[in-house]
Amino acid sequence: MEHILGEEWTIYPAGGSTGEAYYAQNDGKRLFLKRNSSPFLAVLSAEGIVPKLVWTKRLENGDVITAQHWLEGRELSIIEMQHPSVAKMLSRIHHSSELVHLFMRMGKTPLHADAMLHEIQMKVRNSQHLYYSFEVRQALKWLEERLPYLNEAKYVVCHSDMNHNNWLLADNGQLYLIDWDNAVLADPAMDIGMLLNAYIPEDQWGKWIETYYQTKLDHQLLNRIYWYVMAQTISFLLWHERRNEKEEAKKWLLDLKKQFVKQNIIQS
Protein backbone atom coordinates (compact mmCIF):
# COMPACT_ATOMS: atom_id res chain seq x y z
CA MET A 1 0.00 0.00 0.00
CA GLU A 2 2.89 2.39 0.73
CA HIS A 3 4.05 2.41 -2.89
CA ILE A 4 0.57 3.49 -4.02
CA LEU A 5 0.12 6.44 -1.67
CA GLY A 6 3.70 7.42 -0.91
CA GLU A 7 5.94 7.32 2.15
CA GLU A 8 4.24 10.35 3.72
CA TRP A 9 1.14 8.26 4.43
CA THR A 10 0.77 6.19 7.59
CA ILE A 11 -0.98 2.92 6.81
CA TYR A 12 -2.22 0.28 9.23
CA PRO A 13 -4.62 -2.69 9.09
CA ALA A 14 -8.31 -2.02 9.59
CA GLY A 15 -9.03 -5.50 10.93
CA GLY A 16 -11.61 -7.88 9.54
CA SER A 17 -11.45 -11.54 8.57
CA THR A 18 -9.84 -11.04 5.14
CA GLY A 19 -6.93 -8.80 6.15
CA GLU A 20 -7.45 -6.80 2.95
CA ALA A 21 -8.60 -3.51 4.51
CA TYR A 22 -6.44 -0.62 5.72
CA TYR A 23 -6.60 2.88 7.14
CA ALA A 24 -4.33 5.59 5.73
CA GLN A 25 -3.58 9.00 7.22
CA ASN A 26 -1.50 11.96 6.08
CA ASP A 27 -1.58 15.55 7.33
CA GLY A 28 -5.24 15.48 8.33
CA LYS A 29 -6.32 13.47 5.27
CA ARG A 30 -7.76 10.06 5.99
CA LEU A 31 -8.75 7.20 3.71
CA PHE A 32 -10.17 3.72 4.00
CA LEU A 33 -8.38 1.38 1.58
CA LYS A 34 -9.44 -2.07 0.45
CA ARG A 35 -8.00 -4.61 -1.94
CA ASN A 36 -10.41 -6.20 -4.46
CA SER A 37 -13.51 -4.66 -2.96
CA SER A 38 -17.00 -5.01 -4.45
CA PRO A 39 -16.88 -4.17 -8.17
CA PHE A 40 -20.01 -2.02 -7.90
CA LEU A 41 -18.66 0.17 -5.11
CA ALA A 42 -18.99 3.25 -7.34
CA VAL A 43 -22.76 2.80 -7.64
CA LEU A 44 -23.12 2.15 -3.91
CA SER A 45 -21.16 5.34 -3.28
CA ALA A 46 -23.23 7.37 -5.75
CA GLU A 47 -26.44 6.26 -4.05
CA GLY A 48 -25.12 7.13 -0.57
CA ILE A 49 -25.19 3.52 0.63
CA VAL A 50 -21.46 3.43 1.44
CA PRO A 51 -19.01 6.25 2.25
CA LYS A 52 -17.89 8.25 -0.79
CA LEU A 53 -15.49 6.56 -3.19
CA VAL A 54 -12.38 8.75 -3.75
CA TRP A 55 -10.45 6.71 -6.32
CA THR A 56 -9.86 3.25 -7.76
CA LYS A 57 -6.48 1.93 -8.94
CA ARG A 58 -5.66 -1.32 -10.74
CA LEU A 59 -2.27 -2.86 -9.95
CA GLU A 60 -0.02 -4.73 -12.38
CA ASN A 61 -0.96 -8.05 -10.80
CA GLY A 62 -4.65 -7.41 -11.50
CA ASP A 63 -5.62 -6.44 -7.95
CA VAL A 64 -7.86 -3.40 -7.57
CA ILE A 65 -7.37 -0.94 -4.70
CA THR A 66 -10.24 1.35 -3.72
CA ALA A 67 -10.05 4.41 -1.46
CA GLN A 68 -13.05 5.82 0.37
CA HIS A 69 -13.51 8.70 2.75
CA TRP A 70 -12.65 7.59 6.26
CA LEU A 71 -15.59 8.67 8.37
CA GLU A 72 -15.68 9.04 12.11
CA GLY A 73 -18.52 6.92 13.41
CA ARG A 74 -19.46 3.64 14.96
CA GLU A 75 -21.34 0.44 14.25
CA LEU A 76 -24.97 0.20 15.27
CA SER A 77 -25.78 -1.46 18.56
CA ILE A 78 -28.08 -4.47 18.69
CA ILE A 79 -30.91 -2.29 20.01
CA GLU A 80 -30.35 0.36 17.34
CA MET A 81 -30.96 -2.25 14.65
CA GLN A 82 -34.65 -1.92 15.53
CA HIS A 83 -34.69 1.76 14.50
CA PRO A 84 -36.98 2.52 11.51
CA SER A 85 -34.05 4.07 9.63
CA VAL A 86 -32.55 0.58 9.20
CA ALA A 87 -35.73 -0.80 7.63
CA LYS A 88 -36.09 2.26 5.39
CA MET A 89 -32.51 2.08 4.16
CA LEU A 90 -32.70 -1.65 3.45
CA SER A 91 -35.92 -1.01 1.54
CA ARG A 92 -34.19 1.67 -0.54
CA ILE A 93 -31.34 -0.72 -1.33
CA HIS A 94 -33.68 -3.55 -2.31
CA HIS A 95 -35.71 -1.22 -4.53
CA SER A 96 -32.66 0.16 -6.36
CA SER A 97 -33.07 -0.71 -10.05
CA GLU A 98 -29.58 0.69 -10.73
CA LEU A 99 -27.98 -1.95 -8.50
CA VAL A 100 -29.96 -4.74 -10.17
CA HIS A 101 -29.09 -3.51 -13.67
CA LEU A 102 -25.41 -3.30 -12.77
CA PHE A 103 -25.48 -6.85 -11.41
CA MET A 104 -27.09 -8.06 -14.64
CA ARG A 105 -24.48 -6.23 -16.75
CA MET A 106 -21.78 -7.96 -14.72
CA GLY A 107 -23.26 -11.30 -15.75
CA LYS A 108 -24.54 -12.14 -12.29
CA THR A 109 -27.39 -14.64 -12.15
CA PRO A 110 -30.02 -14.87 -9.41
CA LEU A 111 -29.37 -17.18 -6.48
CA HIS A 112 -32.53 -19.29 -6.44
CA ALA A 113 -33.66 -21.09 -3.31
CA ASP A 114 -33.14 -24.53 -4.85
CA ALA A 115 -29.54 -23.69 -5.79
CA MET A 116 -28.92 -22.32 -2.31
CA LEU A 117 -30.28 -25.52 -0.75
CA HIS A 118 -28.19 -27.69 -3.05
CA GLU A 119 -25.02 -25.80 -2.08
CA ILE A 120 -25.82 -26.21 1.63
CA GLN A 121 -26.48 -29.93 1.16
CA MET A 122 -23.12 -30.38 -0.57
CA LYS A 123 -21.29 -28.56 2.22
CA VAL A 124 -23.02 -30.67 4.86
CA ARG A 125 -22.02 -33.85 3.02
CA ASN A 126 -18.42 -32.66 3.07
CA SER A 127 -18.57 -32.00 6.83
CA GLN A 128 -17.87 -35.20 8.70
CA HIS A 129 -19.22 -33.72 11.92
CA LEU A 130 -22.40 -32.02 10.68
CA TYR A 131 -23.31 -34.77 8.21
CA TYR A 132 -24.20 -36.96 11.17
CA SER A 133 -25.95 -34.18 13.10
CA PHE A 134 -29.59 -35.13 13.62
CA GLU A 135 -30.62 -31.48 13.91
CA VAL A 136 -28.93 -30.48 10.66
CA ARG A 137 -30.36 -33.41 8.71
CA GLN A 138 -33.82 -32.67 10.09
CA ALA A 139 -33.53 -29.02 9.12
CA LEU A 140 -32.42 -29.95 5.59
CA LYS A 141 -35.43 -32.25 5.27
CA TRP A 142 -37.71 -29.39 6.35
CA LEU A 143 -36.17 -27.03 3.79
CA GLU A 144 -36.50 -29.59 1.01
CA GLU A 145 -40.13 -30.35 1.82
CA ARG A 146 -41.10 -26.68 1.74
CA LEU A 147 -39.07 -25.70 -1.30
CA PRO A 148 -41.92 -26.38 -3.80
CA TYR A 149 -44.23 -24.04 -1.89
CA LEU A 150 -41.98 -20.98 -1.96
CA ASN A 151 -43.51 -18.34 -4.20
CA GLU A 152 -41.02 -16.66 -6.51
CA ALA A 153 -40.07 -13.11 -5.52
CA LYS A 154 -38.73 -10.25 -7.60
CA TYR A 155 -35.01 -10.67 -7.09
CA VAL A 156 -33.00 -7.75 -5.78
CA VAL A 157 -29.40 -7.08 -4.80
CA CYS A 158 -29.03 -8.53 -1.30
CA HIS A 159 -26.17 -7.65 1.00
CA SER A 160 -26.36 -11.14 2.58
CA ASP A 161 -24.75 -10.20 5.92
CA MET A 162 -27.06 -8.12 8.11
CA ASN A 163 -24.73 -8.20 11.11
CA HIS A 164 -24.99 -4.97 13.10
CA ASN A 165 -21.26 -4.33 12.69
CA ASN A 166 -21.83 -3.77 8.96
CA TRP A 167 -24.12 -0.82 9.70
CA LEU A 168 -22.07 2.36 10.13
CA LEU A 169 -23.54 5.43 11.80
CA ALA A 170 -21.30 8.39 10.95
CA ASP A 171 -20.86 11.24 13.40
CA ASN A 172 -22.85 13.46 11.01
CA GLY A 173 -25.87 11.17 11.48
CA GLN A 174 -25.63 9.47 8.06
CA LEU A 175 -26.31 5.72 8.07
CA TYR A 176 -24.33 3.39 5.78
CA LEU A 177 -24.30 -0.32 5.03
CA ILE A 178 -20.73 -1.45 4.37
CA ASP A 179 -18.81 -4.61 3.34
CA TRP A 180 -20.57 -5.68 0.13
CA ASP A 181 -18.12 -8.42 -0.86
CA ASN A 182 -20.73 -11.20 -0.55
CA ALA A 183 -23.64 -9.42 -2.24
CA VAL A 184 -25.92 -11.58 -4.40
CA LEU A 185 -28.98 -11.21 -6.59
CA ALA A 186 -31.64 -12.99 -4.57
CA ASP A 187 -34.99 -12.96 -2.82
CA PRO A 188 -35.11 -9.92 -0.47
CA ALA A 189 -36.37 -12.35 2.19
CA MET A 190 -32.74 -13.44 2.52
CA ASP A 191 -31.69 -10.09 4.03
CA ILE A 192 -35.01 -9.49 5.75
CA GLY A 193 -35.06 -12.87 7.47
CA MET A 194 -31.48 -12.54 8.70
CA LEU A 195 -32.17 -9.11 10.19
CA LEU A 196 -35.52 -10.00 11.74
CA ASN A 197 -34.28 -13.24 13.26
CA ALA A 198 -31.23 -11.60 14.83
CA TYR A 199 -32.55 -8.24 16.02
CA ILE A 200 -36.34 -7.85 15.94
CA PRO A 201 -38.70 -9.50 18.46
CA GLU A 202 -41.11 -11.67 16.49
CA ASP A 203 -44.17 -9.85 17.77
CA GLN A 204 -42.75 -6.72 16.07
CA TRP A 205 -42.06 -8.29 12.67
CA GLY A 206 -45.34 -7.00 11.26
CA LYS A 207 -44.56 -3.42 12.26
CA TRP A 208 -41.04 -3.70 10.81
CA ILE A 209 -42.38 -5.02 7.49
CA GLU A 210 -44.85 -2.12 7.31
CA THR A 211 -41.91 0.30 7.64
CA TYR A 212 -39.93 -1.62 5.03
CA TYR A 213 -42.65 -2.46 2.49
CA GLN A 214 -45.37 0.03 3.38
CA THR A 215 -47.64 -3.02 3.45
CA LYS A 216 -48.67 -5.72 5.90
CA LEU A 217 -46.77 -8.94 6.50
CA ASP A 218 -48.58 -11.62 4.50
CA HIS A 219 -48.41 -15.40 4.76
CA GLN A 220 -46.37 -15.87 1.57
CA LEU A 221 -43.63 -13.46 2.67
CA LEU A 222 -43.56 -15.01 6.14
CA ASN A 223 -43.04 -18.47 4.62
CA ARG A 224 -40.10 -17.16 2.58
CA ILE A 225 -38.61 -15.45 5.63
CA TYR A 226 -38.80 -18.62 7.71
CA TRP A 227 -37.26 -20.67 4.90
CA TYR A 228 -34.28 -18.36 4.44
CA VAL A 229 -33.73 -18.02 8.18
CA MET A 230 -33.45 -21.81 8.47
CA ALA A 231 -31.16 -22.06 5.44
CA GLN A 232 -28.87 -19.27 6.63
CA THR A 233 -28.70 -20.70 10.14
CA ILE A 234 -27.25 -23.90 8.69
CA SER A 235 -24.89 -21.86 6.49
CA PHE A 236 -23.52 -19.92 9.46
CA LEU A 237 -23.20 -23.15 11.44
CA LEU A 238 -21.17 -24.64 8.57
CA TRP A 239 -18.98 -21.54 8.32
CA HIS A 240 -18.01 -21.58 11.99
CA GLU A 241 -17.58 -25.35 11.99
CA ARG A 242 -15.10 -25.12 9.07
CA ARG A 243 -13.15 -22.48 10.99
CA ASN A 244 -13.15 -24.73 14.09
CA GLU A 245 -14.92 -21.99 16.09
CA LYS A 246 -16.69 -24.38 18.39
CA GLU A 247 -18.41 -21.90 20.68
CA GLU A 248 -19.87 -19.91 17.77
CA ALA A 249 -20.95 -23.17 16.11
CA LYS A 250 -22.75 -24.18 19.30
CA LYS A 251 -24.64 -20.87 19.29
CA TRP A 252 -25.87 -21.43 15.73
CA LEU A 253 -26.83 -25.02 16.53
CA LEU A 254 -28.88 -23.68 19.44
CA ASP A 255 -30.49 -21.16 17.10
CA LEU A 256 -31.30 -24.02 14.73
CA LYS A 257 -33.12 -25.81 17.54
CA LYS A 258 -35.05 -22.62 18.27
CA GLN A 259 -36.18 -22.61 14.64
CA PHE A 260 -37.56 -26.11 15.22
CA VAL A 261 -39.75 -24.75 18.00
CA LYS A 262 -41.03 -21.89 15.81
CA GLN A 263 -41.81 -24.24 12.92
CA ASN A 264 -43.25 -26.96 15.18
CA ILE A 265 -40.71 -29.50 13.94
CA ILE A 266 -41.00 -32.67 16.00
CA GLN A 267 -37.69 -34.03 17.24
CA SER A 268 -37.39 -37.68 18.11
Side-chain angles (χ1 to χ4, degrees), residues 111 113-125 238:
L111 176 59
D114 56 350
M116 183 177 181
L117 177 57
H118 178 71
E119 182 179 353
I120 293 172
Q121 289 171 328
M122 293 297 293
K123 289 180 179 179
V124 169
R125 292 191 188 103
L238 282 163

Side-chain angles (χ1 to χ4, degrees), residues 41 44 48-51 81 89-90 93-94 158-169 175-180 191:
L41 191 63
L44 294 170
I49 297 170
V50 300
M81 289 293 291
M89 182 169 183
L90 186 60
I93 292 168
H94 284 172
C158 290
H159 181 275
S160 80
D161 188 358
M162 290 286 99
N163 195 298
H164 67 97
N165 58 25
N166 286 327
W167 292 83
L168 171 66
L169 181 62
L175 182 64
Y176 299 98
L177 180 57
I178 60 175
D179 196 357
W180 283 82
D191 279 348

